[in-house]
Amino acid sequence: MKKILSLLFALAFLTFDSSAQEKVLKILAIGNSFSEDGIENYLHDLAKADGQQIIIGNMYIGGASIELHVKNSRDDKASYSYRKVGLDGKKVTTKDVSISQAIADENWDYISLQQASPYSGQYDVIMKDLPELITYVKYLKKPHTKLLYHQTWAYQHDSKHGGFANYDNNQSKMYTEIVHATKKINKMKDFVMVIPAGTAIQNARTSTQGDTYTRDGYHLELNYGRFTAACTWYEKLFGKDVRKNSYKPEKVTDLQAQIAKQAAHKAVKKPFKISKVNL
């Protein structure tokens, strides 16, 4: 009898251990091209290198603001490009999807919200519509699903983006105001965490790589730029030191990868303050 009980206990433990190992983290972003830059490309690879499983969804409309997301939610408009990275790392894009459809598609662990970059440092503009979007998402999400806020980055110093005028075409001012806004948002009980991608990019700009982290003055450089943001998401979501992760994109040099990982790690430690990267 004792042997049978011991065997049953061992089988139960193995089943529990196996299910724990098979845990899949599921993250959905309601965003725009900045969420595309942050999570669609290298986040899955970082998780895989560490033996973690992840499903990534991104509700994409280029330049979409919180105001637009709210308008779309009111009419349940199927106007998004739903990009989904599955367990195998392959991205499937579905056109004409609504926010409600995407939220119902998976048992999401996290849903991320963010503001369009021209207004990412304008707290009053953000708060004009954010509470309504939060209410809508909370109504549709599963009880266990938690909300995140994506802190985006300041533009390159010579950016030609029209929205740069909101910050007097000054990168330092734009970053400072993004920090000011996200600091306040971080104190809201609605969000369990802020993903400090903006601080990670600002940290990386202090390195020998300099202010080269965008491809057009505002969207992230496709390789080391996007990798820096993905490293930030990885460390924040999984609670693991990204500097110990072995993954490096093929087109990223060893030095660029080191800078990215250090910049991201420092941002997670100090999300509202620039930390110099001595590389």
Side-chain angles (χ1 to χ4, degrees):
M1 185 67 178
K2 284 184 179 178
K3 285 184 178 180
I4 293 172
L5 287 171
S6 297
L7 183 60
L8 288 171
F9 178 81
L11 285 170
F13 177 78
L14 285 171
T15 303
F16 173 80
D17 188 54
S18 173
S19 64
Q21 288 179 353
E22 291 171 5
K23 166 67 178 168
V24 179
L25 189 144
K26 300 179 180 182
I27 168 79
L28 173 69
I30 299 172
N32 49 43
S33 58
F34 276 42
S35 51
E36 175 188 27
D37 277 348
I39 64 173
E40 283 191 25
N41 301 279
Y42 303 119
L43 178 57
H44 184 277
D45 298 298
L46 283 161
K48 184 180 178 182
D50 190 36
Q52 305 291 332
Q53 296 192 88
I54 188 169
I55 291 174
I56 301 163
N58 184 30
M59 289 295 279
Y60 172 91
I61 296 177
S65 63
I66 293 173
E67 181 183 20
L68 180 60
H69 294 315
V70 166
K71 286 179 180 177
N72 289 340
S73 70
R74 287 172 183 167
D75 300 323
D76 199 28
K77 286 188 72 172
S79 54
Y80 291 83
S81 171
Y82 178 34
R83 286 94 173 274
K84 187 176 182 182
V85 181
L87 288 174
D88 59 1
K90 293 179 181 176
K91 189 191 305 182
V92 175
T93 300
T94 307
K95 294 180 179 178
D96 304 324
V97 177
S98 68
I99 294 174
S100 64
Q101 288 172 321
I103 291 177
D105 183 50
E106 287 283 355
N107 198 14
W108 303 108
D109 293 296
Y110 297 106
I111 296 176
S112 168
L113 307 180
Q114 66 184 62
Q115 179 58 294
S117 62
Y119 317 111
S120 56
Q122 299 189 329
Y123 180 74
D124 291 342
V125 176
I126 293 168
M127 292 308 296
K128 183 169 66 71
D129 300 290
L130 184 60
E132 185 174 341
L133 184 60
I134 290 170
T135 300
Y136 179 75
V137 172
K138 279 188 170 182
Y139 176 74
L140 294 173
K141 75 176 185 65
K142 299 289 193 299
H144 81 282
T145 307
K146 297 177 173 63
L147 298 186
L148 310 176
Y149 191 82
H150 183 198
Q151 177 208 65
T152 57
W153 45 90
Y155 297 160
Q156 197 158 298
H157 74 280
D158 56 355
S159 177
K160 305 302 180 190
H161 194 297
F164 207 14
N166 292 339
Y167 311 96
D168 300 326
N169 297 298
N170 184 296
Q171 182 187 101
S172 179
K173 182 175 182 179
M174 186 173 185
Y175 171 71
T176 299
E177 294 194 14
I178 289 171
V179 164
H180 177 72
T182 51
K183 227 179 196 178
K184 284 186 172 182
I185 289 166
N186 190 48
K187 291 178 181 177
M188 295 171 65
K189 293 180 181 178
D190 304 285
F191 296 99
V192 294
M193 66 178 90
V194 163
I195 307 292
T199 294
I201 295 300
Q202 209 63 29
N203 289 347
R205 284 168 168 156
T206 69
S207 73
T208 53
Q209 198 66 44
D211 191 13
T212 62
Y213 278 80
T214 69
R215 61 187 187 269
D216 54 9
Y218 47 102
H219 290 114
L220 292 182
E221 189 276 333
L222 295 175
N223 301 300
Y224 58 85
R226 282 179 165 179
F227 186 55
T228 304
C231 285
T232 314
W233 278 87
Y234 165 84
E235 180 155 332
K236 195 68 181 174
L237 288 175
F238 291 101
K240 295 193 170 190
D241 189 338
V242 72
R243 297 173 301 174
K244 297 176 182 177
N245 190 294
S246 63
Y247 176 71
K248 178 186 79 67
E250 188 179 337
K251 293 182 179 179
V252 172
T253 68
D254 289 342
L255 178 60
Q256 288 167 345
Q258 278 186 281
I259 292 169
K261 290 175 181 181
Q262 192 175 128
H265 178 73
K266 286 175 178 282
V268 171
K269 294 295 181 188
K270 296 181 179 179
F272 307 115
K273 183 180 179 182
I274 300 170
S275 299
K276 188 169 175 56
V277 176
N278 297 307
L279 291 169

